[in-house]
Amino acid sequence: MHGRLILYSGPMSLSLLCLSSTCGTTGRWECEQDACLMESDMINGINRGNYGWRASNYSQLYGMTLDEGIKYRLGTQRPSKTIMNMNEMQNEQLPQYFNSTEKWPGKIHEPLDQGNCAASWAFSTAAVASDRISIQSMGHMTPQLSPQNLISCDTRNQGGCAGGRIDGAWWYLRRRGVVTEDCYPYLPPQQTPAEASRCMMQSRSIGRGKRQATQRCPNSHNYHNDIYQSTPPYRLSTNEKEIMKEIKENGPVQAIMEVHEDFFVYKSGIYKHTDVSFTKPPQYRKHGTHSVRITGWGEEKNYDGTARKYWIAANSWGKNWGENGFFRIARGENECEIEAFVIGVWGRITMEDMHKHPHHHRRRHI
């Protein structure tokens, strides 16, 4: 007989356990000893403490274990040693606050939702390339590039919804190119028939490194199957000023970060990994690798007058997570390793492209 056990009363606490219990032969509840993604103890501990950010319960994450959250909601593998050894590019006055959405209105794209598909490698790559192409073309081209195109077609040493590497994604964007989200829409794995997950977009070379689609859009209502490409990505210095300068001059960047158990419940404020689960058993303290898009920075004053510096970053968990799909995270101290591996890129854009795209694809921008 199956049941749903919501609350487990421990010696000192009332803790939310997972909703996947069975009622044993003795008539007593037997619960799986997994940590929940939405732990009420952790949420209350964060909100009672003076951590500088607020936590919340998210209905779309309810009922998932922490292991499932790390398995299905992240999905970027750590770069290989050779990629980590990419050269870092090597002091002007920088403002206290900067947000790409304000400098480049209509050219910075809204956060998408990867659902339970561990493909942040594809979502963060497509998002940064979309913003950079829009900025670089001065708004002549404002494509929201298709993560699904990468998930289904960039299969060389990549795991699709089981995780992948950003260096592989950038290789594909440079050598093969991708179409827009409108042309090749994202389908979460649970809504995708097996045949739909195969690659439905190929391209061929038309000279000078440019490519052209050889198939129609999977979305039959869209006829714009233009292929967008990038140049090779470049790694930034781990110095916060260098990262800030790059964002201010050229647009959002891609960053890899370690996601801990408390990040899933982030609601608002300046995130720092907390110690609320430190006294709990190991299954409550886990982390995985994720990739996100950094779009700006700022600082807030503490009561004592000291500054709390932060990055503004876009996640890919939908707009009802965090601060409208974005989050702020401590800046200048490599919080969750967010400053350890940061990537910039250029779109491959010619004057011919500029004339060919008289301001179309205007949807889903901030």
Side-chain angles (χ1 to χ4, degrees):
M1 167 185 168
H2 289 277
R4 289 166 71 79
L5 179 59
I6 309 291
L7 295 172
Y8 164 78
S9 189
M12 298 292 292
S13 68
L14 203 60
S15 170
L16 185 66
L17 278 186
C18 296
L19 306 180
S20 57
S21 353
T22 55
C23 191
T25 50
T26 60
R28 288 207 316 254
W29 291 103
E30 293 168 2
C31 219
E32 293 176 10
Q33 290 306 303
D34 283 322
C36 270
L37 199 53
M38 297 290 104
E39 274 282 331
S40 60
D41 273 4
M42 180 168 64
I43 294 168
N44 294 335
I46 291 162
N47 290 339
R48 275 198 305 266
N50 185 22
Y51 293 107
W53 60 279
R54 305 288 296 166
S56 177
N57 198 330
Y58 289 101
S59 57
Q60 72 268 31
L61 302 177
Y62 199 71
M64 290 176 75
T65 65
L66 175 55
D67 283 340
E68 286 169 340
I70 287 168
K71 181 177 180 182
Y72 296 121
R73 303 292 298 199
L74 309 179
T76 293
Q77 292 161 16
R78 284 222 150 273
S80 64
K81 284 242 178 347
T82 47
I83 300 296
M84 283 302 281
N85 292 333
M86 275 169 80
N87 290 336
E88 297 180 359
M89 291 184 69
Q90 289 300 353
N91 193 351
E92 65 181 73
Q93 268 309 107
L94 291 158
Q96 280 192 350
Y97 173 84
F98 177 83
N99 195 334
S100 296
T101 60
E102 292 163 20
K103 178 171 179 181
W104 295 290
K107 300 180 185 68
I108 306 301
H109 298 72
E110 289 185 348
L112 296 178
D113 188 353
Q114 69 187 75
N116 290 338
C117 166
S120 61
W121 65 272
F123 277 82
S124 60
T125 298
V128 169
S130 302
D131 291 353
R132 287 293 187 104
I133 288 170
S134 303
I135 291 166
Q136 206 180 329
S137 69
M138 296 176 291
H140 282 269
M141 297 148 67
T142 57
Q144 173 120 48
L145 298 184
S146 165
Q148 190 69 55
N149 195 163
L150 285 169
I151 292 165
S152 298
C153 305
D154 176 18
T155 53
R156 196 176 85 168
N157 302 321
Q158 300 282 52
C161 279
R165 287 201 165 88
I166 60 173
D167 47 297
W170 287 117
W171 180 91
Y172 192 90
L173 203 58
R174 176 166 65 100
R175 300 298 293 272
R176 300 281 182 266
V178 300
V179 292
T180 63
E181 167 73 9
D182 280 342
C183 172
Y184 200 158
Y186 174 62
L187 278 173
Q190 56 274 24
Q191 296 170 23
T192 312
E195 69 275 7
S197 62
R198 67 184 168 79
C199 181
M200 298 170 75
M201 181 53 65
Q202 302 289 346
S203 63
R204 64 183 177 87
S205 172
I206 52 173
R208 290 180 303 168
K210 299 286 285 178
R211 297 186 73 85
Q212 183 180 66
T214 57
Q215 284 164 283
R216 290 185 175 165
C217 293
N219 172 7
S220 55
H221 301 297
N222 191 310
Y223 302 103
H224 294 295
N225 63 349
D226 302 319
I227 296 282
Y228 294 87
Q229 293 169 266
S230 74
T231 62
Y234 50 92
R235 184 180 175 191
L236 303 177
S237 157
T238 52
N239 178 312
E240 64 170 309
K241 295 279 193 294
E242 291 290 327
I243 299 169
M244 291 159 73
K245 185 166 175 273
E246 173 69 22
I247 296 168
K248 180 172 172 280
E249 289 177 1
N250 299 321
V253 295
Q254 182 181 43
I256 288 179
M257 66 179 284
E258 284 301 296
V259 164
H260 294 267
E261 67 285 340
D262 59 358
F263 184 72
F264 291 97
V265 299
Y266 169 88
K267 179 62 184 166
S268 61
I270 301 168
Y271 173 79
K272 286 185 79 157
H273 178 36
T274 68
D275 58 5
V276 294
S277 300
F278 283 11
T279 56
K280 291 196 166 187
Q283 68 263 33
Y284 290 86
R285 303 189 309 275
K286 296 192 174 178
H287 59 94
T289 311
H290 193 42
S291 54
V292 297
R293 173 176 45 136
I294 304 179
T295 60
W297 69 82
E299 55 184 69
E300 275 185 3
K301 288 278 186 281
N302 288 320
Y303 295 119
D304 61 3
T306 56
R308 288 167 62 224
K309 303 185 300 181
Y310 60 83
W311 296 113
I312 303 167
N315 202 352
S316 48
W317 293 351
K319 290 182 68 180
N320 68 348
W321 180 89
E323 298 180 328
N324 206 27
F326 288 79
F327 64 99
R328 287 176 292 157
I329 184 170
R331 165 169 60 94
E333 49 201 82
N334 199 24
E335 178 65 37
C336 297
E337 299 180 44
I338 197 163
E339 290 147 19
F341 193 78
V342 180
I343 290 287
V345 74
W346 294 104
R348 184 177 285 168
I349 296 167
T350 62
M351 287 312 291
E352 180 191 347
D353 291 326
M354 303 272 272
H355 293 129
K356 186 178 156 191
H357 296 84
H359 298 280
H360 67 255
H361 301 311
R362 282 259 172 232
R363 302 199 310 120
R364 293 202 202 91
H365 304 143
I366 294 167

